[in-house]
C-alpha cells in the first residue's frame, strides 16, 4: 500500500514539472527584454507576424492603467500610419551600448511594417539613465537628425523628472505628427521644424504691454518739448526761404551686367545611418536623462 502511494506521489510530481516549467516562476515583464534579445544572438530576426507588443515595460515604471492607455495610443498610431511606433523601458543595457540595444531590440522582436521594416523605437535604460531612438525603413526618412533633436527637447524634461507616462505620450504624439509631415514630401528637418503655437492670451498681453510702454515713452518725450507750440496751419511750420528746388539731369552712358550662379542649400541635414548587428540599416540618436 505504501509503495502504491509513493508511486502516485512521484507521478504527480513528474506531471507538475511537465506542465509548469521553471520559467513560469518569474514575472513575464521583468524577463521579457533579456529573453527576446537572446534570440538575436543566434541571428534569428523575427518577422512582423511574431512582433512583440509595441510597449515593453520590463523596468516596471508604469502603472497598469498607464500601460493600457499608452499601448492603445501606440497601436492606433502605428496601424493608421503603417509605421511602427514602439516604446521599451529596460532595467539595464546588459553590457551593450544604448544604440546596440535599441537596434537589436527592434530587429530581433519583429517590429516594422513592410519589407523595409518601417518604424521607430524609443528605448530607455533605468540603470544607465540613458535613452536612444532607433529608426528603420521609412522611419529614417520621417525622423531626421534635426527632427530627433527637436523631439528630445520635448520629451527629455518629463523623462528626467520621472514623469514617464508624459514623456512617452509626448514622444508618441510627436511621432504621429512627424510621419504625417513626411508623407507630405517635406519631412521635418533643419529649417523646417514644427512651429510652436502661441496662445491668443499671450498675443493680447504683448499688445497691451507694448501700448503701455509706448504711452509712457511718448509722454516723457512730450513733457520735454518746451519751445514747441501747436500751429494752426501747416505753412506755419515752414521757414521762409528754406526750400530750394534745383533741376538735375542724368544721362545713361553704358550698361554692364555681371551674372553669378548662387548655390542654394536644400535646407535639410537628413538622417545619419549605421548598420546593426543583424545587418539592418538604422538611423537615430540618443543621450542621458
Amino acid at each position: 500500500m505504501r509503495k502504491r502511494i509513493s508511486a502516485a506521489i512521484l507521478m504527480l510530481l513528474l506531471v507538475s514539472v511537465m506542465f509548469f516549467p521553471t520559467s513560469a516562476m518569474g514575472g513575464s515583464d521583468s524577463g521579457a527584454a533579456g529573453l527576446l534579445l537572446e534570440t538575436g544572438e543566434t541571428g534569428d530576426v523575427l518577422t512582423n507576424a511574431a512582433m512583440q507588443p509595441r510597449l515593453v515595460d520590463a523596468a516596471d515604471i508604469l502603472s497598469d492603467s498607464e500601460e493600457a492607455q499608452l499601448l492603445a495610443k501606440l497601436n492606433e498610431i502605428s496601424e493608421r500610419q503603417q509605421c511602427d511606433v514602439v516604446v521599451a523601458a529596460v532595467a539595464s543595457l546588459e553590457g551593450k551600448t544604448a544604440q546596440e540595444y535599441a537596434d537589436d531590440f527592434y530587429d530581433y522582436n519583429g517590429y516594422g511594417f513592410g519589407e523595409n521594416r518601417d518604424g521607430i523605437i524609443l528605448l530607455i535604460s533605468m540603470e544607465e539613465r540613458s535613452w536612444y531612438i532607433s529608426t528603420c525603413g521609412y522611419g529614417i526618412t520621417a525622423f531626421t537628425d534635426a527632427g530627433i533633436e527637436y523631439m528630445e527637447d520635448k520629451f527629455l524634461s518629463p523623462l528626467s523628472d520621472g514623469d514617464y507616462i508624459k514623456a512617452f505620450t509626448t514622444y508618441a504624439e510627436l511621432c504621429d505628427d512627424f510621419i504625417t509631415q513626411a508623407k507630405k514630401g517635406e519631412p521635418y528637418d533643419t529649417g523646417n521644424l514644427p512651429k510652436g503655437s502661441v496662445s491668443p492670451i499671450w498675443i493680447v498681453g504683448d499688445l497691451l504691454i507694448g501700448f503701455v510702454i509706448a504711452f509712457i515713452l511718448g509722454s516723457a518725450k512730450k513733457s520735454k518739448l518746451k519751445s514747441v507750440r501747436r500751429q494752426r496751419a501747416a505753412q506755419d511750420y515752414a521757414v521762409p526761404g528754406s526750400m530750394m528746388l534745383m533741376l538735375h539731369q542724368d544721362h545713361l552712358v553704358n550698361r554692364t551686367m555681371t551674372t553669378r550662379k548662387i548655390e542654394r542649400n536644400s535646407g535639410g541635414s537628413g538622417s545619419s545611418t549605421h548598420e546593426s548587428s543583424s545587418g539592418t540599416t538604422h538611423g537615430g540618436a540618443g543621450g542621458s536623462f
Side-chain angles (χ1 to χ4, degrees):
M1 183 67 178
R2 290 181 178 178
K3 290 183 179 180
R4 291 181 179 179
I5 294 175
S6 298
I9 293 174
L10 181 59
M11 183 63 69
L12 287 173
L13 289 173
L14 290 173
V15 171
S16 64
V17 169
M18 291 173 61
F19 284 93
F20 299 97
T22 56
S23 61
M25 297 173 62
S28 59
D29 286 342
S30 62
L35 290 174
L36 293 172
L37 281 176
E38 285 176 6
T39 308
E41 296 176 0
T42 67
D44 182 17
V45 178
L46 299 181
T47 63
N48 188 267
M51 184 185 72
Q52 299 301 317
R54 294 185 176 99
L55 171 61
V56 177
D57 182 18
D60 197 23
I61 57 177
L62 299 174
S63 66
D64 291 344
S65 60
E66 289 173 338
E67 285 187 17
Q69 171 190 343
L70 180 59
L71 181 58
K73 180 179 285 290
L74 294 173
N75 286 337
E76 190 279 326
I77 294 173
S78 299
E79 295 296 335
R80 172 167 45 83
Q81 297 283 17
Q82 291 294 286
C83 184
D84 267 332
V85 179
V86 184
V87 172
V90 298
S92 170
L93 296 177
E94 302 174 2
K96 296 176 179 283
T97 66
Q99 175 184 299
E100 292 169 344
Y101 203 104
D103 290 347
D104 289 348
F105 199 96
Y106 188 93
D107 291 344
Y108 297 117
N109 287 296
Y111 298 117
F113 274 86
E115 295 181 359
N116 296 324
R117 309 285 298 278
D118 304 334
I120 179 173
I121 181 173
L122 168 61
L123 179 133
I124 72 167
S125 173
M126 300 306 295
E127 181 177 318
E128 291 83 2
R129 301 290 294 178
S130 61
W131 65 271
Y132 195 87
I133 285 179
S134 179
T135 59
C136 190
Y138 190 71
I140 298 175
T141 300
F143 301 94
T144 62
D145 294 343
I148 293 176
E149 184 176 351
Y150 174 90
M151 294 174 66
E152 174 189 356
D153 291 339
K154 301 301 181 183
F155 70 72
L156 188 59
S157 180
L159 188 63
S160 300
D161 294 340
D163 192 351
Y164 301 113
I165 185 61
K166 181 177 181 180
F168 296 153
T169 301
T170 300
Y171 153 81
E173 292 172 349
L174 285 170
C175 287
D176 192 10
D177 182 29
F178 271 57
I179 297 170
T180 298
Q181 177 65 26
K183 289 181 177 179
K184 297 177 181 178
E186 296 182 0
Y188 286 131
D189 203 347
T190 303
N192 180 37
L193 292 173
K195 304 293 190 300
S197 59
V198 180
S199 171
I201 297 176
W202 285 104
I203 296 176
V204 174
D206 290 342
L207 290 174
L208 289 175
I209 293 173
F211 176 79
V212 171
I213 293 175
F215 179 79
I216 294 173
L217 293 176
S219 299
K221 289 183 177 295
K222 181 179 178 181
S223 64
K224 296 178 181 179
L225 299 176
K226 304 297 184 181
S227 61
V228 179
R229 297 290 182 269
R230 183 188 298 273
Q231 302 297 328
R232 292 181 176 275
Q235 62 184 14
D236 295 332
Y237 290 97
V239 178
S242 63
M243 183 176 180
M244 300 179 62
L245 295 177
M246 301 180 67
L247 178 62
H248 288 278
Q249 292 182 345
D250 293 326
H251 298 279
L252 178 63
V253 178
N254 56 31
R255 176 183 298 174
T256 302
M257 180 181 295
T258 302
T259 61
R260 179 169 61 90
K261 183 179 179 180
I262 300 177
E263 299 292 341
R264 296 187 180 275
N265 193 332
S266 62
S269 60
S271 300
S272 55
T273 59
H274 57 273
E275 194 172 278
S276 66
S277 64
S278 70
T280 305
T281 299
H282 285 266
S288 301
F289 66 93

